[in-house]
Amino acid sequence: VTPTTGAVVAIRVDPEQESARTGTFMLRADGSREPLARERFDALARGRKVPLEQAANSGPESGPPQPSEEDALEGTPELLVEPERLPTTIELIDTPGFNDMAKFRAAISRSELPRADVLVLVLDATQVLSRSELGLIRDALAAVGGLGSSGARCELVINRIDLVPEDERARVVEHLREQLRDVLPGELEPFSTNAKLALREPGDASPAVQAVAALRAKLFGLGGESKQILPARARAAMLRNARLLGYNATIQARALHLERETIGEEIVAVEQAMRDA
């Protein structure tokens, strides 16, 4: 199955606003950016391989030589957009699906979760909320520290709703509410969308296209609440790191008094305690 997202992709306004760069780039671990040909960006973002000679022969206007396959693993494909398209207070991080057949892509997605302020969980209307997805949602919420004092928010999207007969759509939403009643607090109001049509005809009056606009407005509104969200997120992150340091200190202290043969057993026990917590 060809994934729609094959790598973590960042979409943001240029942080160096005086330069106002737009287009596709490779963001390196050291914070530097290298121009990336759009064809190469698309291939990396979708997990497809493009022969390097194709990228190299894309013409002089494409800028510096493109990264190699090995180099691409050391950076994040990045799309910089105009400020009128995205508030400067919002960065969108698009991840591969958690149930991606390529296990390493699912692992990358999970590693991105703890730094999220708002989770936008996109489900497929034709197979909404399988048992594995329910478990993944629980994991995602745990990774951000829950939705209470952590400051994290969560929005649910049921995409491809156009593929479900109209008289069955309410039942899909109700099924989602029932399954997540003990997972997500409050009244659940998912966005039932048709993203493909919204991209092609953003002015369409159908509810599924209007739901895309409503989701965008909701996220942009949250971008204006950064002064309330970010301090709580920072506090939650510091508490999580403090707990990890506490666990590590416990391991180190016990290791000083245990024989080598028993250290492995103790580490397994502490890791299990961390998961249970």
Side-chain angles (χ1 to χ4, degrees), residues 183-198:
V183 179
L184 293 172
E187 184 66 23
L188 185 61
E189 293 295 341
F191 295 85
S192 299
T193 64
N194 179 352
K196 183 179 288 187
L197 180 59

Side-chain angles (χ1 to χ4, degrees), residues 129 134 137 156 176-184 188:
L129 204 61
L134 181 58
I137 289 176
L156 280 173
L176 191 63
R177 286 179 176 147
E178 289 177 3
Q179 294 298 310
L180 295 178
R181 187 163 287 127
D182 298 329
V183 179
L184 293 172
L188 185 61

Side-chain angles (χ1 to χ4, degrees), residues 207-276:
V209 171
Q210 294 303 306
V212 174
L215 173 62
R216 181 184 294 112
K218 180 69 176 290
L219 295 177
F220 283 16
L222 289 174
E225 298 180 24
S226 57
K227 290 184 179 180
Q228 291 75 45
I229 295 174
L230 295 183
R233 298 299 297 135
R235 182 170 59 250
M238 286 190 289
L239 287 172
R240 185 164 57 245
N241 288 334
R243 284 195 296 269
L244 289 174
L245 287 172
Y247 284 126
N248 287 334
T250 299
I251 292 173
Q252 293 295 330
R254 291 187 66 81
L256 292 174
H257 302 285
L258 295 172
E259 296 293 333
R260 178 173 303 198
E261 292 77 14
T262 62
I263 290 178
E265 297 175 3
E266 289 291 317
I267 291 176
V268 170
V270 172
E271 288 177 342
Q272 183 62 49
M274 290 174 62
R275 285 194 291 270
D276 294 340

Side-chain angles (χ1 to χ4, degrees), residues 7-8 25-29 32 44 70-78:
V8 172
F25 296 82
M26 177 66 77
L27 178 64
R28 298 295 186 186
S32 63
L44 290 171
E70 292 76 14
D71 290 340
L73 296 175
E74 300 175 5
T76 300
E78 180 186 55

